[in-house]
Amino acid sequence: MSQVHLIDHPMIQHKLSIMRDKETGSKDFRQLLKEISLLMGYEITRDLPLTDLEIETPISKMTARRVLGRKLAIVPILRAGLGMVDGLLDLVPVAKVGHIGLYRNEKTHKPVVYYCKLPEDVQERLVIVTDPMLATGGSSCDAIVMLKERGCTNIRLMCLVAAPEGIKKVQEEHPDVDIYVAAIDERLNEDAYIVPGLGDAGDRIFGTK
Ligand code: PRP
Ligand code: URA
C-alpha cells in the first residue's frame, strides 16, 4: 500500500486558506500555489540520492554532497498541474518537465486524454506528477498509467487538496505511488467537486471563469 504524506506545515495551511477563499483572484492564487509547491517540494525530495563531490572551499578541500537533480522529471497534468511546476523548478532547476493533457468530461467526470509529451529518458527518472486537485482520482490514475506504459517505475503524486475518494482510488490502482498532499478534505459533491475544496483549480489559475 502506498503512503499518504500530509504536508500540513503552518505556512502551507496559511497560504492554502487564502487560496480557498473565493475572493482571492488569479494573480494571488497562482503566486500562492507556486509558493506552496516549493514548500511541498522540500518534503517530496527529502530522500533524493546524494552524490559525493570533491571541492575546495576558500579554506580547505572537502568531500561535498550534491543532489542528482538531473534524475528528476516533473509531469504536470494540464491545465491546473502547470501551476505547481515553477515552484518545484525553483527548487530543482535542472529537472526535466513533461506534460500530460487531461480534462474531465463534465457529465461522466471521466478523464479524456488530449496531449502527452514526456522527456525521452523519463523511465530512468523519479517522476513527480503534479495536479492541485485529487477528486475522483480518475485523472491522476490515468496519468500514472500513461507513465507506467512508458516504463516509469518511480512515480510520486503531488496534490494540493485531496478527497478521500481520490486517495482511495490511487492507492488501490497504484499501490506503488506515494501521494503528497497539503490537505485532505471531507468529500466530493454531486458534481465530483471537492468539498470544501477551492473550486475549479484550472479556472482559478488561468481566470477562465
Ligand atoms: C481538474 C483537476 C484535475 C481533475 C481532478 O482538471 O485539475 O486534473 O480535475 O479531478 P478527478 O480527480 O476527478 O479526475 P479539469 O478536468 O477541470 O481540467 P483543467 O485543469 O484543464 O481545468
Ligand atoms: N477539479 C477541480 O478543479 N476542483 C475540484 O474540486 C474537482 C476537480
Side-chain angles (χ1 to χ4, degrees):
M1 172 71 79
S2 71
Q3 280 189 29
V4 179
H5 304 260
L6 181 61
I7 309 174
D8 56 357
H9 187 285
M11 288 318 301
I12 293 180
Q13 289 191 54
H14 173 81
K15 291 173 192 292
L16 176 57
S17 297
I18 302 172
M19 291 180 73
R20 287 183 189 273
D21 189 330
K22 66 179 184 181
E23 301 301 333
T24 299
S26 287
K27 178 173 171 285
D28 290 340
F29 191 91
R30 270 198 304 272
Q31 178 63 28
L32 290 160
L33 182 57
K34 178 181 170 185
E35 290 170 10
I36 292 178
S37 303
L38 191 149
L39 295 172
M40 291 182 76
Y42 280 105
E43 209 49 50
I44 204 162
T45 56
R46 177 179 281 282
D47 60 351
L48 281 195
L50 290 162
T51 185
D52 287 348
L53 192 75
E54 299 307 315
I55 62 161
E56 221 174 315
T57 75
I59 309 297
S60 74
K61 290 187 174 171
M62 72 170 287
T63 305
R65 312 194 76 197
R66 299 267 291 264
V67 163
L68 291 172
R70 284 185 176 78
K71 290 290 162 208
L72 194 75
I74 303 163
V75 178
I77 300 178
L78 307 181
R79 295 173 299 165
L82 283 174
M84 304 179 92
V85 173
D86 284 350
L88 287 175
L89 280 177
D90 280 353
L91 200 60
V92 192
V94 294
K96 289 207 171 157
V97 182
H99 296 86
I100 292 181
L102 291 172
Y103 69 88
R104 287 201 320 178
N105 178 293
E106 281 182 11
K107 289 206 177 71
T108 63
H109 308 138
K110 299 268 184 250
V112 182
V113 183
Y114 62 88
Y115 189 73
C116 182
K117 181 81 179 172
L118 300 169
E120 258 178 23
D121 60 352
V122 70
Q123 67 283 352
E124 291 161 22
R125 294 172 177 265
L126 163 65
V127 180
I128 300 178
V129 178
T130 65
D131 194 333
M133 310 309 280
L134 180 61
T136 65
S139 304
S140 292
C141 280
D142 281 13
I144 293 166
V145 167
M146 289 163 75
L147 289 164
K148 287 184 174 175
E149 283 172 354
R150 281 283 301 267
C152 299
T153 54
N154 195 2
I155 304 171
R156 294 177 184 178
L157 175 63
M158 177 170 151
C159 304
L160 187 64
V161 181
E165 294 89 331
I167 290 176
K168 183 166 177 280
K169 184 174 169 71
V170 174
Q171 284 191 311
E172 280 172 5
E173 295 185 15
H174 300 288
D176 55 319
V177 176
D178 276 7
I179 305 167
Y180 293 75
V181 285
I184 301 172
D185 278 11
E186 285 166 36
R187 62 184 169 87
L188 296 177
N189 68 14
E190 55 284 357
D191 297 319
Y193 272 80
I194 300 174
V195 180
L198 47 72
D200 188 305
D203 284 340
R204 294 199 63 188
I205 291 169
F206 297 107
T208 38
K209 238 178 216 166

